[in-house]
């Protein structure tokens, strides 16, 4: 919308007016000419030499409008003027100041007291003697002071001399205000309607709705057809006529005729006034010539090829701004970091409704990437900035790669503010280019954060988690993370060292040490774990298409398992060592709330369990999901999961390493890990394979949404998914969308519910189910 307000800034125009050079004739009247003749020159003495009379050729031709003005004389003669009164006569007429002539001049001045008494006598007629109380009305002695420099005001009211009453007896009479005679009258309101005339033909010529643009900013429209009086409507009409001129100029009509009027109501039945804006757009201006003033570039015609305006097209402010912006972007992307697009000039001709467009462009030197310089409150040095850059020294400058570096710096979450800008070095490369250094201005932000989360799921209970992080304890980007979990089914604590961008952009190295206790229906475990991992992962800030991870882990765990021989649960100790590798491919548009695209993830885990011997086995899992936007509000989503364990018997594998189905991230409607083979005691024992699937319809309105879903799945003792005996769960969920992702609440019920299974299960977490 700003293009309407700033259209004149977008098109700095000069008007070529064909009437600007017309002469304006000035005709002097005879009276004006005669008034210009000085009277002194007419009364000059005969002895003074006079100017010669004008000849016939010098005559003043009033009707022709010609007034010849002769040049003035170099030294005009001045007349001799005698004194009117001689000095001697003037001095003799002034009387002398002598005490003998006026006795009053030699008398002493009267006292202040005598002067005040004389004035009082003259004003009131009283004649008080010295020491006598002053009468009422005596301006000098009203306060009893018989001698003062400034007299008192006359006292006409005896009450003014009366003593004041005591303060506790002083009464204040309440002030009575007259009631407003019009207080009960209703506010007067004038109703009106807006009648916009003459815009239809112009509106059809543009891709933009002129009427829509006008309605968006119209003062009359914002008034909703109501005003306090007709003067307010007239003021809105004036404002909207200027707005209409701006709207038309933004689309190329620079000489419109806009008239406004306020018509009285047509009849008493409809008291609305009519605010009329009559528009005659006139001719639409087009480009007659386009001149780009720029030095040669490499490749040739780089400026012209990226300039979208053409001769003959209408002069539209938005297209002008867009064309210039494209040049400003294209030049830095092709090796010209210091290019500057100058101030445009458009010369309009009213007679032809055409404009000549001129744009100066300063190309500047062509550059290649050089080194890095940095200062400010540093989070890390220039060597680590080089790790984050996706370009090498000597590559042709490309502003897109600079933007990518800026985003990578922001993604570290270590800065309050950070900026990257090119700087000249004047160091020639030898092929007509020069090196350009990148200057990084750092302002490190607070490195520590504390976060927490709270969730609930059937079978898992309530879980609260708290995390403390120092993101740069071991620079560069060496974070120390402490976390603790407290829940009804899970408790634990751990510490993690994480090095982000470890020697390479987007590569993360992690060391983890943790201890936790899980108490689920399938097993109870006390576990200690140490793991190392190198990964390229997606984050909410920086989502990646390709991801990978590989690592090693060691576990020591004491877990309960069903003992077939005794028929009860027995705690066994397992030592597990394993490798893991994961690859992923992601085309979705959002990590926590995808609306289109698909994802594929494959996990491979060769492991070995040491309990009564060495039992190696191989775990694998495949996850796939897809998302399709039916409309802006409705998204359809589906997922599939397959899993297998090969190489070991079911009870040779630690219960926590087996495969389970059921729960909020699996098959909703069932408790956590509840599906699969059940032991005689009614609790699950897990399996060596699984298959799961889900389908969701997600509907969003504003910051809220509803989801309908159906899940299916099962875990099996066999090593390959059987796709049989599937259990289904259906439900509905609510979503509250926030800046960090949707908050999810799902309510599900199992289909074909069996004894012991809950009728409803609730799941609360952050992010979509998949």
């Amino acid at each position: 919308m700003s293009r309407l307000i700033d259209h004149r800034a977008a098109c700095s125009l000069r008007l070529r007016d064909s009437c600007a050079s017309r002469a304006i004739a000035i005709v002097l009247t005879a009276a004006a000419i005669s008034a210009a003749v000085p009277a002194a020159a007419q009364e000059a003495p005969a002895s003074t030499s006079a100017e010669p009379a004008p000849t016939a050729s010098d005559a003043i031709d009033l009707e022709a409008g010609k007034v010849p003005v002769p040049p003035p004389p170099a030294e005009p003669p001045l007349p001799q003027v005698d004194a009117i009164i001689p000095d001697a006569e003037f001095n003799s007429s002034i009387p002398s100041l002598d005490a003998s002539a006026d006795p009053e001049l030699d008398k002493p001045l009267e006292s202040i007291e005598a002067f005040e008494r004389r004035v009082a006598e003259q004003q009131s007629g009283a004649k008080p003697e010295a020491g006598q109380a002053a009468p009422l009305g005596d301006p000098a002695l009203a306060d009893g002071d018989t001698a003062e420099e400034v007299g008192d005001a006359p006292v006409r009211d005896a009450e003014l001399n009366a003593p004041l009453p005591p303060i506790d007896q002083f009464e204040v009479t309440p002030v009575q205000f007259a009631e407003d005679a019009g207080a009960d009258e209703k506010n007067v309101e004038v109703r009106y309607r807006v009648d916009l005339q003459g815009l239809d033909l112009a509106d059809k010529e543009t891709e933009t709705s002129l009427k829509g643009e006008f309605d968006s900013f119209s003062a009359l429209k914002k008034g909703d057809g109501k005003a306090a009086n007709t003067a307010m409507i007239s003021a809105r009409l004036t404002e909207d006529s200027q707005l209409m001129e701006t709207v038309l100029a933004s689309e190329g009509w620079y000489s419109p005729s806009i008239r406004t009027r306020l018509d009285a109501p047509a009849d008493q039945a409809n008291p609305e006034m009519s605010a009329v804006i009559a528009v005659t757009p006139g001719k639409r201006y087009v480009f007659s010539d386009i001149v780009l003033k720029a030095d040669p570039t490499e490749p040739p015609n780089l400026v012209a090829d990226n300039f979208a305006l053409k001769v003959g097209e209408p002069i539209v402010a938005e297209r002008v701004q867009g064309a210039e912006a494209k040049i400003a972007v294209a030049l830095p992307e092709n090796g010209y970091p210091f290019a500057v697009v100058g101030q445009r000039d458009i010369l309009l001709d009213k007679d032809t409704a055409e404009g000549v467009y001129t744009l100066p462009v300063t190309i500047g030197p062509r550059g290649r990437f050089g080194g890095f310089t940095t200062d400010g409150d540093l989070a890390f040095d220039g060597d680590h900035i080089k790790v984050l850059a996706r370009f090498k020294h000597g590559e042709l400058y490309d502003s897109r790669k600079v933007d990518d570096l800026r985003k990578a710096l922001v993604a570290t979450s270590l800065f309050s503010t950070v900026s990257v800008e090119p700087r000249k070095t004047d160091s020639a490369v030898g092929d007509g280019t020069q090196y350009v250094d990148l200057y990084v201005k750092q302002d490190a932000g607070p490195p520590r954060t504390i976060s927490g989360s709270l969730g609930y799921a059937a079978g898992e209970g309530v879980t609260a988690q708290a995390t403390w992080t120092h993101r740069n304890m071991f620079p560069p980007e060496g974070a120390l993370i402490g976390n603790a979990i407290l829940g009804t089914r899970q408790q634990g604590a751990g510490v993690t060292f994480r090095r982000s961008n470890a020697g390479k952009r987007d590569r993360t190295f992690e060391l983890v040490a943790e201890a936790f206790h899980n108490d689920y229906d399938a097993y109870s475990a006390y576990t200690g774990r140490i793991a190392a991992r190198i990964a390229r992962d997606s984050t909410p800030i920086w989502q990646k298409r390709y991801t990978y991870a590989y690592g090693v882990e060691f576990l020591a765990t004491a877990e309960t398992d069903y003992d077939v021989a005794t028929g009860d649960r027995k705690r066994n100790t397992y030592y597990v060592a394993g490798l893991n590798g994961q690859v992923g491919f992601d085309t979705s548009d959002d990590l926590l709330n995808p609306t289109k695209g698909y994802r594929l993830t494959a996990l491979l885990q060769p492991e070995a369990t040491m309990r009564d011997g060495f039992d190696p086995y191989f775990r694998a899992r495949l996850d796939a999901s897809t998302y399709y936007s039916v409309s802006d509000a409705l998204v359809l989503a589906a997922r599939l999961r397959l899993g297998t364990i090969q190489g070991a018997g079911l009870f040779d594998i630690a219960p926590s390493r087996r495969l389970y189905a059921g729960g909020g991230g699996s098959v909703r409607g069932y408790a956590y890990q509840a599906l699969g083979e059940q032991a005689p005691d009614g609790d699950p024992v897990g399996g060596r394979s699984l298959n799961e699937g889900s389908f969701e319809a997600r509907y969003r309105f504003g910051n809220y949404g509803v989801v309908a879903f159906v899940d299916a799945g099962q875990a099996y003792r066999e090593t390959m998914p059987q796709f049989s005996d599937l259990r289904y769960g259906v439900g509905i969920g609510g979503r509250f969308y926030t800046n960090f992702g949707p908050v999810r609440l799902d309510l599900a019920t199992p289909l074909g519910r069996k004894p012991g299974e809950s009728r409803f299960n609730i799941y609360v977490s952050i992010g979509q189910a998949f």
Side-chain angles (χ1 to χ4, degrees):
M1 299 299 182
S2 62
R3 63 187 181 86
L4 300 180
I5 308 305
D6 301 333
H7 79 280
R8 289 186 175 85
C11 297
S12 303
L13 309 174
R14 296 187 291 120
L15 300 179
R16 180 187 291 140
D17 194 338
S18 59
C19 300
S21 59
R22 296 177 183 173
I24 301 176
I26 302 176
V27 180
L28 302 178
T29 63
I33 296 173
S34 62
V37 180
Q42 297 176 4
E43 298 175 359
S47 59
T48 304
S49 61
E51 292 293 326
T55 63
S57 61
D58 296 328
I60 299 174
D61 187 355
L62 295 177
E63 294 183 1
K66 298 178 180 179
V67 185
V69 182
E75 294 181 0
L78 299 177
Q80 184 69 31
V81 179
D82 296 332
I84 297 176
I85 301 176
D87 292 343
E89 182 181 351
F90 178 78
N91 292 331
S92 64
S93 64
I94 298 176
S96 60
L97 297 177
D98 189 358
S100 60
D102 188 355
E104 292 293 330
L105 296 175
D106 207 26
K107 289 183 179 181
L109 293 175
E110 63 181 328
S111 65
I112 294 296
E113 180 181 356
F115 173 76
E116 291 179 341
R117 288 185 175 279
R118 181 165 55 81
V119 172
E121 178 183 346
Q122 294 173 357
Q123 293 185 359
S124 62
K127 297 180 180 181
E129 298 180 357
Q132 184 179 352
L136 292 176
D138 189 335
L141 304 175
D143 58 357
D145 189 355
T146 57
E148 55 188 5
E149 295 182 3
V150 181
D152 299 313
V155 179
R156 305 294 183 187
D157 190 349
E159 285 294 329
L160 295 178
N161 278 336
L164 292 174
I167 190 66
D168 56 352
Q169 300 178 14
F170 185 75
E171 296 182 0
V172 178
T173 302
V175 178
Q176 300 293 328
F177 294 96
E179 294 185 0
D180 186 1
D184 296 333
E185 297 181 4
K186 295 182 178 179
N187 293 329
V188 178
E189 183 179 80
V190 180
R191 301 189 65 86
Y192 63 88
R193 62 184 181 87
V194 181
D195 186 5
L196 187 58
Q197 302 175 353
L199 199 62
D200 293 339
L201 292 178
D203 219 348
K204 293 179 180 179
E205 294 184 35
T206 65
E207 296 179 359
T208 302
S209 172
L210 299 177
K211 187 177 183 304
E213 297 283 2
F214 173 81
D215 290 345
S216 297
F217 295 96
S218 169
L220 290 167
K221 291 290 184 179
K222 292 179 179 178
D224 198 24
K226 302 175 185 178
N229 48 53
T230 57
M232 181 179 292
I233 304 176
S234 297
R236 293 173 183 175
L237 268 172
T238 302
E239 182 179 345
D240 278 3
S241 68
Q242 298 172 352
L243 171 64
M244 178 55 67
E245 182 179 352
T246 302
V247 171
L248 289 169
S250 69
E251 292 294 327
W253 284 277
Y254 289 98
S255 302
S257 174
I258 302 174
R259 300 180 303 277
T260 62
R261 69 177 186 272
L262 187 59
D263 293 344
D267 52 63
Q268 295 297 328
N270 184 12
E272 284 187 339
M273 304 188 75
S274 182
V276 181
I277 301 178
V279 181
T280 304
K283 294 181 179 180
R284 194 179 191 188
Y285 284 68
V286 299
F287 291 110
S288 62
D289 193 14
I290 294 176
V291 181
L292 300 176
K293 296 182 178 180
D295 293 333
T297 60
E298 182 64 34
N301 301 322
L302 181 60
V303 175
D305 291 346
N306 286 279
F307 193 69
L309 300 180
K310 305 296 181 184
V311 173
E313 73 172 80
I315 304 175
V316 179
E318 186 176 28
R319 282 189 52 78
V320 171
Q321 291 176 315
E324 294 173 357
K326 187 175 180 180
I327 293 178
V329 170
L331 287 170
E333 288 180 352
N334 289 272
Y336 295 94
F338 307 106
V340 177
V341 177
Q343 178 62 46
R344 77 191 68 81
D345 180 83
I346 303 179
L347 178 61
L348 298 181
D349 191 328
K350 286 188 174 181
D351 295 332
T352 62
E354 294 179 335
V356 178
Y357 176 92
T358 304
L359 181 68
V361 180
T362 303
I363 300 299
R366 198 171 191 223
R368 296 184 178 275
F369 286 115
F372 297 93
T373 59
T374 184
D375 63 15
D377 185 6
L378 301 184
F380 41 72
D381 58 19
D383 291 338
H384 192 63
I385 296 175
K386 185 177 180 180
V387 171
L388 297 177
R390 295 190 189 274
F391 50 82
K392 297 180 180 180
H393 184 275
E395 284 187 22
L396 187 66
Y397 184 91
D398 189 337
S399 60
R400 290 168 292 190
K401 295 181 179 179
V402 178
D403 292 340
D404 176 79
L405 173 61
R406 186 180 297 109
K407 292 178 182 178
L409 290 168
V410 172
T412 64
S413 302
L414 296 178
F415 300 101
S416 294
T417 59
V418 61
S419 62
V420 184
E421 62 183 41
R423 287 194 172 180
K424 294 180 180 179
T425 64
D426 296 326
S427 176
V429 178
D431 59 351
T433 62
Q434 60 178 244
Y435 286 116
V436 177
D437 284 349
L438 292 182
Y439 168 67
V440 180
K441 176 68 174 178
Q442 302 185 42
D443 182 11
R448 301 173 184 83
T449 56
I450 297 176
S451 61
S453 63
L454 183 66
Y456 173 81
E460 295 179 89
V462 177
T463 302
Q465 182 171 357
T467 303
W468 174 90
T469 304
H470 190 301
R471 295 186 299 276
N472 204 29
M473 178 169 283
F474 306 98
E477 295 191 76
L480 185 65
I481 305 167
N483 66 286
I485 298 176
L486 181 62
T488 55
R489 293 295 188 96
Q490 184 178 13
Q491 306 85 38
V495 61
T496 301
F497 167 77
R498 176 185 298 154
R499 174 83 69 188
S500 301
N501 299 301
K504 184 180 180 180
R505 170 80 172 267
D506 298 329
R507 183 168 62 189
T508 301
F509 172 73
E510 283 186 350
L511 284 175
V512 179
E514 58 185 349
F516 49 86
H517 169 237
N518 296 329
D519 187 13
Y520 301 131
D521 292 340
Y523 61 88
S524 172
Y526 294 91
T527 305
R529 176 175 176 265
I530 298 176
R533 179 174 180 265
I534 295 176
R536 183 180 189 267
D537 292 327
S538 286
T539 66
I541 298 177
W542 200 273
Q543 187 174 356
K544 303 173 181 66
R545 174 161 291 195
Y546 302 97
T547 60
Y548 65 83
Y550 56 91
V552 60
E553 62 180 338
F554 300 93
L555 292 86
T557 178
E559 303 181 2
T560 59
D561 192 11
Y562 182 76
D563 191 332
V564 179
T566 62
D568 58 5
R569 296 276 170 168
K570 180 181 178 181
R571 189 174 299 276
N572 300 312
T573 301
Y574 301 86
Y575 299 95
V576 180
L579 304 176
N580 58 74
Q582 177 178 300
V583 293
F585 182 70
D586 185 356
T587 66
S588 66
D589 59 342
D590 190 273
L591 191 64
L592 295 177
N593 183 37
T595 60
K596 60 183 178 180
Y598 62 90
R599 298 171 180 170
L600 292 172
T601 304
L603 174 65
L604 304 175
Q605 294 178 298
E607 295 182 353
T609 298
M610 291 170 285
R611 186 166 68 95
D612 294 329
F614 182 78
D615 296 308
Y617 54 91
F618 186 87
R619 290 161 46 101
R621 191 182 71 202
L622 178 66
D623 290 277
S625 58
T626 184
Y627 313 91
Y628 176 73
S629 293
V630 178
S631 65
D632 291 339
L634 180 62
V635 176
L636 303 181
R639 77 170 184 97
L640 176 68
R641 170 177 289 178
L642 302 174
T644 181
I645 299 178
Q646 302 285 336
L650 179 63
F651 292 98
D652 293 327
I653 304 169
S656 62
R657 311 302 289 176
R658 299 170 191 169
L659 299 178
Y660 297 88
S666 178
V667 182
R668 287 162 289 186
Y670 301 90
Y672 180 63
Q673 299 179 339
L675 296 183
E677 183 178 344
Q678 308 290 312
D681 62 0
D683 291 329
V685 296
R688 293 186 295 172
S689 65
L690 65 81
N691 43 237
E692 296 174 355
S694 299
F695 177 81
E696 289 190 348
R698 303 169 180 173
Y699 184 79
R700 177 172 180 174
F701 47 97
N703 290 329
Y704 300 91
V706 293
V707 176
F709 59 85
V710 56
D711 296 341
Q714 187 61 277
Y716 309 94
R717 175 186 286 264
E718 293 81 3
T719 59
M720 294 298 293
Q722 302 300 300
F723 300 99
S724 61
D725 192 25
L726 295 177
R727 300 299 306 277
Y728 295 89
V730 297
I732 189 170
R735 303 290 185 268
F736 175 65
Y737 293 91
T738 67
N739 292 333
F740 53 85
V743 177
R744 174 168 65 102
L745 187 152
D746 290 336
L747 175 65
T749 185
L751 297 182
R753 186 169 65 92
K754 296 180 179 181
E757 295 178 344
S758 299
R759 185 177 299 275
F760 295 102
N761 290 279
I762 297 175
Y763 312 90
V764 180
S765 64
I766 296 176
Q768 299 286 7
F770 57 92

